[in-house]
Amino acid sequence: MEKTVKLNNGVEMPRVGLGVYQAQDGTETENAVKWAIEAGYRMIDTAAAYGNEESVGKGIRMGLEAGGLKRDELFVTTKLWNEEIRAGRTEAAFFESLKKLGLDYLDLYLIHWPADGFEKAWQEMVKLQQKGYVRAIGVSNFHPRHLDALKRCSDVSPALDQVECHPWLAQAELRQELENRHLACGAWSPLGGGRCGVMRDETVTAIAEECKRTPAQVILRWDLQHGMITIPKSVHRERIQSNIEVYDFELTDQQMNRLDGLNRNLRVGP
């Protein structure tokens, strides 16, 4: 399996990245990002609402320096928050995030939620992309009706829709809709977060035993074999390392079907 996917504008995006939602600003986030880069991650996903963009930026610099890597070898995503959308501050918010991250450009900028005014925000994001400040633009938590609204206000289609997705919330219908629209699907909270027991599900743990893998690796591999981009979060070095070791095994069709059968339409996020 290729480790990157080509978005609908031709930009190559890694399939697995580090998510940093609820990672504490400061050393915790800085180390997680640095460790991820050292472990081979080439995508970091944050958001203005997480309150840790400065720490993510420091971790990026630490990781790139430690690995002798260049900026263009890393894919960085952040997101536009709801209040900025409502206030019409898309461009200002973008440059504030860029400054906190300490970067000259972004690889992907997402509308975090379809808050009131998202159509206008999208038009401003298109301009930022056209000016070269961001390589790709997309959305998060959008339903088809929101995507239809964007289509009415702009000729530029989102490159990706990032949504909550895990075996207990499989999102099969939405994933098919995104595929039909030529949008990549990104999975946030792919392991269900701390409030979800999906990694302790008997089917997941049984398949993990069959594959001699961790439950997290089984779920992340399920993401990949369904064509999703996934951003597991961890601040523990050993788990960060383990979560990217998903390219050297494959789930059988039967195992995929068993995991697909776990869907409960159960959300752990909003």
Side-chain angles (χ1 to χ4, degrees), residues 38-85:
E38 290 175 342
Y41 289 72
R42 292 298 177 262
M43 174 177 42
I44 308 296
D45 181 286
T46 186
Y50 300 168
N52 57 19
E53 287 175 316
E54 290 182 356
S55 296
V56 167
K58 185 173 180 180
I60 287 172
R61 291 188 290 276
M62 291 165 58
L64 293 180
E65 182 178 357
L69 302 172
K70 297 179 181 179
R71 162 67 183 95
D72 61 9
E73 295 179 77
L74 192 67
F75 194 102
V76 183
T77 302
T78 193
K79 309 176 189 77
L80 174 67
W81 185 236
N82 303 346
E83 294 308 316
E84 309 290 11
I85 295 170

Side-chain angles (χ1 to χ4, degrees), residues 5 13 19 23 34 193:
V5 61
M13 182 175 182
K34 177 178 180 289

Side-chain angles (χ1 to χ4, degrees), residues 236-250:
H236 303 285
R237 190 168 194 169
E238 66 279 5
R239 293 179 191 167
I240 289 171
Q241 177 68 55
S242 176
N243 286 346
I244 201 170
E245 295 173 353
V246 290
Y247 292 107
D248 59 347
F249 77 105
E250 186 172 359

